[in-house]
Amino acid sequence: MSRAAVPGLPSRHPIGEQLPALYADDDFAQRFTAGLDTVLAPVFTTLDNLPSYLDPRLAPADFVSWLATWVGGVDDPRWPLELRREAVARAVELHQWRGTRRGLIEALRLVLGLSAEVSGDGGATWSRTGGAELPPPPADEVLVRVWPHRKGEAYEVDADRVRSLVRTLCPVHTVCRVEVLSGPPAGEGR
């Protein structure tokens, strides 16, 4: 990423106009400061627009991947720009839900454009009564079913990318099994 001089970009604050009256008619002083204006105009423009650079929905396209590194977001240059912007904008929210059903479902939808259903709890068990016996341990497997997000969408689900993302987002102590479906499971009205 580089921010270079933009040919013909005027300075909003020309230095020559701010010099004492003695130099207002001095040709050399005006040419010298005009050269400085050419160098400084992109800097002033960038600083004037700094809030827009820090908002992933407004930032220049080449800045989005850099913002993703700031928030630990996922950024894939193969994705459409709008999806990349949304992934960066929602990165902090997704970190908050990491390791949960909601976080996994949201990440699959945002990153891969898939709907998902997650069942199983990874073998976690608890009792609401202190000192009571724990219930029998549940299966330690989490089942993740995915399908294209929109009905009738002609989209080939990349099972390897799904497994890779699920492996990244599932808690390390759980076994996650992935099933790729062609559409929503029976009873899903999406």
Side-chain angles (χ1 to χ4, degrees):
M1 155 189 34
S2 70
R3 299 281 162 248
V6 178
L9 181 66
S11 174
R12 291 183 54 194
H13 310 286
I15 298 172
E17 292 178 7
Q18 298 176 29
L19 293 176
L22 173 68
Y23 298 104
D25 293 328
D26 185 341
D27 185 53
F28 173 75
Q30 292 301 316
R31 284 185 292 124
F32 180 75
T33 58
L36 293 174
D37 287 340
T38 301
V39 172
L40 293 175
V43 174
F44 291 145
T45 301
T46 300
L47 290 174
D48 288 346
N49 294 299
L50 190 59
S52 297
Y53 279 84
L54 301 178
D55 183 343
R57 292 183 175 103
L58 301 174
D62 62 335
F63 212 76
V64 173
S65 59
W66 194 38
L67 287 176
T69 64
W70 288 9
V71 294
V74 180
D75 182 51
D76 187 337
R78 298 173 293 176
W79 298 347
L81 181 59
E82 289 309 309
L83 176 60
R84 293 175 58 211
R85 290 180 186 281
E86 187 66 20
V88 173
R90 296 199 48 214
V92 173
E93 175 191 346
L94 290 176
H95 287 311
Q96 173 185 344
W97 295 106
R98 190 173 180 133
T100 66
R101 280 187 175 107
R102 178 179 175 179
L104 184 56
I105 290 169
E106 283 296 308
L108 286 165
R109 186 192 63 72
L110 181 64
V111 174
L112 298 177
L114 301 172
S115 291
E117 174 184 86
V118 179
S119 58
D121 56 15
T125 187
W126 60 90
S127 173
R128 292 179 188 242
T129 308
E133 289 291 319
L134 291 176
D140 61 354
E141 179 179 85
V142 173
L143 175 61
V144 180
R145 292 182 173 155
V146 297
W147 61 92
H149 188 61
R150 288 183 251 328
K151 213 174 211 179
E153 188 174 276
Y155 174 72
E156 184 73 25
V157 176
D158 185 346
D160 290 334
R161 286 185 72 195
V162 173
R163 284 187 193 91
S164 174
L165 184 62
V166 168
R167 192 173 24 253
T168 302
L169 296 175
C170 273
V172 72
H173 71 281
T174 60
V175 175
C176 294
R177 186 166 53 96
V178 175
E179 286 183 6
V180 177
L181 309 174
S182 59
E188 282 290 321
R190 292 186 190 181

